[in-house]
Amino acid sequence: MLPHKVAIVLFPQVQLMDVAGPADVFHLANELAAKPLYQLIALSSQGGLQTSSCELAMHTQPIEQFNAKDMGTVIIAGSGKQGVRHAINDPSIRNWVLAAHAAHARLASVCSGAFALAAWGLLDGRQATTHWSATHLLRRHFDRVQVEPEALYVQDQGIWTSGGVTTGIDMCLAIVEADHGRALAMRVAKQLVLSARRVGNQSQYSARLAAQSGRYAELIAWIEGHLRQALDIPRLAYRASETQRSFCRHFASETGYTPAVFVELMRVQRAKELLESGVPVKKAARAVGFTSDEQMARAFKRRLDMTAAEYQRSLLG
DNA sequence: ACCAAAAGCCGCCAAC
DNA sequence: AAGTTGGCGGCTTTTG
């Protein structure tokens, strides 16, 4: 089987970590699988040495020497403003990436690389993210992009975008997982000594955001303060002075979560915080309102794809 | 790992 | 006329 070609496209003033993180993930995947799963290719407009924003330079190949149609994955690394602008207006890079996309290559960006994809129209109608400090800019300049400011990384119809710097690692782990399964991705994460593997959609944050304003702000605040008690739909609807049917409908459209899912996310989030401060699993489970540690284990599996004990252990390194 | 019971969820639709 | 409400039924998910 031929290795899957992964092209990383560098611009002037590239962020070193945007390149190094993904590169090491794919390289370690090869090592740990003991098979050449991925072939890494660093590309730039002219080839040669590319100086990163921190002055360390990387060797690259001229992009036009490679056939875009051969690429399995193309990663656009982030860089400073001038670098991105330069890339956006460089027709050789643009056409090459578009050709790769037309040939069904998987596209991905790290950090400000999303601006290049957006400028070329590739993110129209798609969910995407970029560095947290630039999400509002992305939204302002490209109103057809569904910007997800809370996500570490997002995948929508074959195009992946990730937030800043180290999230490129999280994204590439998810790519490895999609290609070769969870076991290999976990081994790579472990090899990289990543404490806790982070999932792409930080839904806990979204849940918390939803709590800050809007029609159910008060109810949500109350939920947060009363996680230990039973929070089923009849009770919540009663507190909201609505019928169950209307409450469910309104709550879901307001927060994006059904009531039960929302409560579970809150409990998992709070449990994580307790586990982080060293509280034992059983105690944490009771403290946040899970009726048993068994129930918490199931919730952790659902939301984080790991057990509470695994989560706690992952923090200790 | 399984299963029956319970709870959650959501489309449907008549009634506002 | 268009939009919201809430009861019902049944399908899916969760629980113990």
Side-chain angles (χ1 to χ4, degrees):
Chain A
M1 187 185 82
L2 285 173
H4 177 107
K5 286 190 169 69
V6 178
I8 306 185
V9 184
L10 283 65
F11 311 142
Q13 296 300 301
V14 64
Q15 178 113 33
L16 186 61
M17 289 275 284
D18 288 4
V19 181
D24 264 341
V25 169
F26 292 118
H27 170 68
L28 280 171
N30 288 343
E31 292 237 311
L32 294 171
K35 274 186 283 188
L37 300 177
Y38 299 100
Q39 180 189 349
L40 282 163
I41 309 163
L43 300 174
S44 68
S45 176
Q46 304 301 318
L49 279 183
Q50 273 291 324
T51 306
S52 71
S53 57
C54 67
E55 304 287 323
L56 287 179
M58 286 169 281
H59 186 67
T60 61
Q61 311 283 333
I63 198 165
E64 284 180 325
Q65 284 184 7
F66 289 81
N67 188 347
K69 295 186 178 120
D70 291 342
M71 298 301 148
T73 299
V74 175
I75 299 178
I76 312 294
S79 58
K81 270 203 185 85
Q82 288 98 341
V84 175
R85 201 164 298 156
H86 181 269
I88 287 173
N89 297 316
D90 184 329
S92 66
I93 292 183
R94 174 178 175 274
N95 292 334
W96 194 90
V97 173
L98 290 176
H101 177 59
H104 303 105
R106 173 169 51 206
L107 300 186
S109 71
V110 187
C111 203
S112 56
F115 282 83
L117 294 180
W120 298 331
L122 293 166
L123 298 182
D124 286 355
R126 282 186 167 88
Q127 297 187 342
T129 193
T130 185
H131 192 271
W132 59 266
S133 67
T135 49
H136 63 288
L137 270 180
L138 188 63
R139 182 172 289 155
R140 190 179 325 147
H141 285 286
F142 305 101
D143 57 3
R144 305 178 67 176
V145 180
Q146 300 170 41
V147 181
E148 299 287 325
E150 303 304 320
L152 290 177
Y153 57 86
V154 174
Q155 189 260 121
D156 194 349
Q157 299 167 72
I159 300 191
W160 298 62
T161 51
S162 62
V165 202
T166 60
T167 59
I169 295 175
D170 298 292
M171 175 179 74
C172 290
L173 282 170
I175 288 175
V176 168
E177 178 169 346
D179 290 350
H180 300 288
R182 181 173 150 69
L184 181 61
M186 292 302 281
R187 287 166 67 206
V188 172
K190 193 171 179 190
Q191 193 69 26
L192 287 169
V193 199
L194 291 183
S195 54
R197 220 184 120 200
R198 304 182 292 181
V199 279
N201 179 3
Q202 292 284 71
S203 44
Q204 311 85 356
Y205 286 118
S206 306
R208 194 147 281 180
L209 268 187
Q212 284 169 10
S213 65
R215 155 175 203 184
Y216 291 108
E218 201 177 323
L219 175 70
I220 290 167
W222 181 84
I223 290 174
E224 275 200 285
H226 298 80
L227 283 178
R228 318 180 60 136
Q229 46 184 277
L231 298 168
D232 51 20
I233 287 174
R235 275 171 229 258
L236 296 175
Y238 177 78
R239 272 209 83 80
S241 310
E242 289 183 283
T243 61
Q244 296 181 30
R245 185 72 186 86
S246 288
F247 170 68
C248 289
R249 210 167 10 214
H250 295 149
F251 191 88
S253 82
E254 181 82 21
T255 66
Y257 302 96
T258 61
V261 167
F262 186 90
V263 167
E264 182 168 288
L265 287 171
M266 285 248 153
R267 287 192 167 132
V268 168
Q269 174 61 28
R270 180 70 62 75
K272 276 172 68 182
E273 289 163 13
L274 293 177
L275 293 171
E276 280 159 19
S277 58
V279 174
V281 173
K282 283 195 170 198
K283 205 168 183 177
R286 252 179 297 118
V288 302
F290 289 114
T291 54
S292 65
D293 43 334
E294 168 69 17
Q295 200 192 2
M296 179 161 86
R298 283 165 161 172
F300 265 61
K301 174 73 185 153
R302 273 193 289 271
R303 304 303 162 195
L304 306 172
D305 202 19
M306 58 171 86
T307 68
E310 271 171 7
Y311 179 76
Q312 194 166 41
R313 201 159 352 107
S314 72
L315 299 168
L316 306 174

